[in-house]
Amino acid sequence: MAARKGNAEPRIFTPPLRELTPETSLGFEAIDFAENILGLTLRPWQKFALIHGLELDMRTVPGSDVFDPDTPPQRLYDYRFRQVVVLVARQNGKTVVMNLLGLWRLFVDGASEILSSAQNLSNAERALGDSFKLAKNTPVLVKYLPYRMERGNWVPYMRMVNGGKQIELASVPPGLEGVLDISGAMPAWYVVAAGGAGRSYSADLAMLDELRQHRTSEMWDAIEPTTKERPRNQIWTFSNAGDARSVVLKRLRNLALRAIEENTTDREKLCLMEWSAEQDRSIFDPEGWYEANPSLGWGNATEEDMAALARAALDPEDPEADEASFRTEYLCQWVQSTEPGKFTSAQWETLANPLDGLPEGTEVHVGIDCSLEARRTHIAVAFERPDGLWHVEVIASRAGFAWVPDWLNERRGGWFTGEVGLQSTGNAPATVLVPLLAEAGIDVAEWRGAAMTGSVLAYTSAIRDGLIRHPGRAPGVDEPTLLESSALGVRDRKLSDVALWDRERSTGDAAPFIATNIAWWMGHRVEDTFVSAYAGDDWDTDSDGASDGDYDDLDDDGLLIV
């Protein structure tokens, strides 16, 4: 029985407009160049990416049934897509695709200017160096490179421009004379640094690696306009999956997914090809490994290697171990954050235990926190369950903060008793609520000083020791809840021997999670003095509490009606 291989076809991709053949895609020509000129052996997934990404706009192909006779000569054999997004797990050979694509367009397809970049400039320069080595070791290509004398021998070399190396041709291959601009500048392939460095260029092809690392649109906004005025222009991006901060990759992917779902891809110029595992796959499920790693079984990587990596991601001896990095790197799955947070997704998932309504006679404690600049306010509750564990959840979340007093007073006499906890000192965003709550007759317990730092440490320990419960996700829902996203992205900072939640360093919005910490603290106060859940000999089963009322009806997500 033949050994299993990684999936050649991506799990998600923009469908072609017609059958892809050498007449409808230049990918076949690029593959022939790679295998018969460069001497490379491509894997099936790499061929798929080239064939689909280089699909032709048949309106620009002479002889096709939809050819537009008014097509300008420089746009003949134009591409269907202007932007191509390739998502695949790491170490599957995407750099090979970048190298051969750049060389093919430079030496065969008539690109006059190519740009490439990665978040780490040295990685982009290394890839360009590898492409140059391929060209200089290929007899058909090396004769078009510049030569210089080194140690008595004429050797091909990479030119230096503005302190950086570039592949610049010394002469144009036959048939490509039209690529020369009015100044006669030779076709060249540059590497540009992340940021706005690409603004001074005008590129036929731009290739951006590690797109998940683009935390702002600065690089994209610099590169994308450089291709606008070039006929047959394309931007190819390569990456594995990102997180909440991967703003450019997330936007492009969402646009492509929407077009696929709405069946409007015939009008789009954006191509998505995503080799990723189904979102609900366990990190130990081989099906997910083969979905996200199309080179698995073609090279040195084996199922045993993947299993070992998965086990290492959940190393019980490593407090920073988290499967999030494995999911993005090796399953190409999106997560809230790829950086280790205070809590792992495995820890948080084990605490999910929804309740069917509020147990009769339960005392409910309310905590409030605001996002940075008070753009959004979150109201959380905490109460002791019949089993002695503490239940926390976010029950309201809206833009701004002016709505909070009225929202609370509408529930006064039910489960809300008229008192809330919030951070009311320093630069805490929630300080804006203090006068509004006072005017509305709502008492404020100030979360500050030793009470704050002590409860941060105790709440952290309670979560890690399994003494906290939350509703978790609704059945059949794949997206994380507001509280889950906040909890998995929250980070702290040390202040001497104590800890504080760090809003700036946290991934996403830390406020929903902080609101639950405050609500939990409200249930552990005795005459304004914080008492840890660990203070007594029976700390693992008992906690103190303080107020009563009834919940409103629950909505579909298990949250209280907002």
Side-chain angles (χ1 to χ4, degrees), residues 1 3 6 53 80 91 131 160 163 202 207 269 278 298 313 330 398 471 527:
M1 181 177 178
R80 173 190 171 191
Q91 301 300 314
S131 297
M160 293 289 294
S202 180
M207 294 185 289
K269 289 290 185 177
E278 291 277 1
W298 292 95
Y330 299 107
R398 292 183 184 174
E527 296 180 354

Side-chain angles (χ1 to χ4, degrees), residues 547-558:
S547 80
D548 66 60
D550 291 322
Y551 272 120
D552 292 332
D553 294 333
L554 295 177
D555 67 12
D556 291 339
D557 294 325

Side-chain angles (χ1 to χ4, degrees), residues 8-10 12-21 24-31 44-57 78-86 97 101 234 236 269-275:
E9 183 175 296
I12 303 171
F13 66 94
T14 303
L17 293 181
R18 59 183 68 201
E19 182 184 0
L20 297 181
T21 67
T24 59
S25 171
L26 289 181
F28 293 92
E29 185 178 297
I31 293 168
W45 85 265
Q46 295 167 327
K47 295 180 180 181
F48 185 101
L50 290 167
I51 291 171
H52 285 253
L54 297 175
E55 180 181 352
L56 289 167
D57 179 351
D78 196 3
Y79 300 106
R80 173 190 171 191
F81 300 114
R82 291 288 175 242
Q83 298 152 4
V84 180
V85 178
V86 178
V97 178
L101 180 62
Q234 282 194 311
W236 281 62
K269 289 290 185 177
L270 173 61
C271 175
L272 172 67
M273 291 176 276
E274 179 178 312
W275 283 265

Side-chain angles (χ1 to χ4, degrees), residues 143-465:
K143 59 186 177 182
Y144 300 109
L145 296 174
Y147 279 72
R148 66 184 176 190
M149 183 67 70
E150 290 184 5
R151 299 179 181 179
N153 295 307
W154 287 99
V155 296
Y157 72 101
M158 296 177 68
R159 297 192 190 279
M160 293 289 294
V161 177
N162 298 324
K165 292 183 177 180
Q166 65 183 44
I167 299 176
E168 181 178 310
L169 303 189
S171 60
V172 180
L176 300 184
E177 293 79 8
V179 305
L180 299 179
D181 60 22
I182 192 171
S183 66
M186 286 293 167
W189 181 353
Y190 311 87
V191 165
V192 295
R199 293 182 183 275
S200 60
Y201 296 93
S202 180
D204 299 279
L205 171 66
M207 294 185 289
L208 306 181
D209 196 11
E210 303 169 355
L211 195 64
R212 58 177 288 218
Q213 298 295 341
H214 290 226
R215 307 307 191 195
T216 71
S217 298
E218 182 183 19
M219 185 64 177
W220 180 265
D221 291 343
I223 293 293
E224 199 255 351
T226 67
T227 64
K228 289 295 187 184
E229 295 304 316
R230 292 283 186 153
R232 308 179 68 245
N233 68 81
Q234 282 194 311
I235 300 176
W236 281 62
T237 67
F238 302 83
S239 186
N240 55 296
D243 59 25
R245 296 171 299 167
S246 305
V247 293
V248 178
L249 180 57
K250 185 176 183 179
R251 176 169 56 83
L252 292 175
R253 180 176 182 267
N254 285 344
L255 289 172
L257 288 176
R258 185 178 302 120
I260 294 171
E261 292 168 359
E262 296 177 356
N263 196 28
T264 59
T265 55
D266 59 322
R267 303 196 299 268
E268 300 297 329
K269 289 290 185 177
L270 173 61
C271 175
L272 172 67
M273 291 176 276
E274 179 178 312
W275 283 265
S276 65
E278 291 277 1
Q279 197 64 32
D280 59 352
R281 297 277 190 210
S282 161
I283 64 173
F284 297 102
D285 186 348
E287 292 298 325
W289 304 342
Y290 286 104
E291 287 171 337
N293 295 271
S295 288
L296 186 59
W298 292 95
N300 295 320
T302 64
E303 280 196 15
E304 289 77 11
D305 296 326
M306 296 300 297
L309 290 167
R311 289 193 297 271
L314 294 180
D315 182 358
E317 301 299 322
D318 182 0
E320 300 297 330
D322 188 7
E323 64 182 70
S325 60
F326 181 90
R327 289 190 177 278
T328 57
E329 304 284 357
Y330 299 107
L331 296 184
C332 201
Q333 292 177 331
W334 286 75
V335 298
Q336 182 65 19
S337 173
T338 56
E339 296 181 11
K342 196 66 179 174
F343 311 105
T344 68
S345 56
Q347 284 175 323
W348 190 254
E349 185 177 347
T350 61
L351 304 180
N353 190 349
L355 290 174
D356 185 17
L358 181 69
E360 185 176 355
T362 300
E363 301 172 347
V364 178
H365 308 279
V366 180
I368 300 176
D369 199 48
C370 295
S371 305
L372 293 173
E373 301 179 0
R375 293 175 181 171
R376 195 170 189 88
T377 303
H378 311 278
I379 301 176
V381 295
F383 56 83
E384 189 175 9
R385 297 157 49 111
D387 58 10
L389 301 175
W390 276 77
H391 182 96
V392 298
E393 65 176 292
V394 175
I395 60 172
S397 177
R398 292 183 184 174
F401 56 88
W403 59 273
V404 173
D406 288 343
W407 191 94
L408 288 170
N409 275 332
E410 288 172 2
R411 288 145 180 85
R412 191 189 287 265
W415 55 263
F416 178 56
T417 60
E419 184 181 32
V420 301
L422 58 78
Q423 187 177 354
S424 60
T425 59
N427 296 321
T431 56
V432 299
L433 273 168
V434 174
L436 298 180
L437 293 170
E439 184 179 349
I442 297 173
D443 296 329
V444 173
E446 298 182 348
W447 191 58
R448 62 179 181 176
M452 177 171 61
T453 57
S455 70
V456 167
L457 291 173
Y459 189 50
T460 298
S461 296
I463 289 174
R464 287 180 169 169
D465 291 340

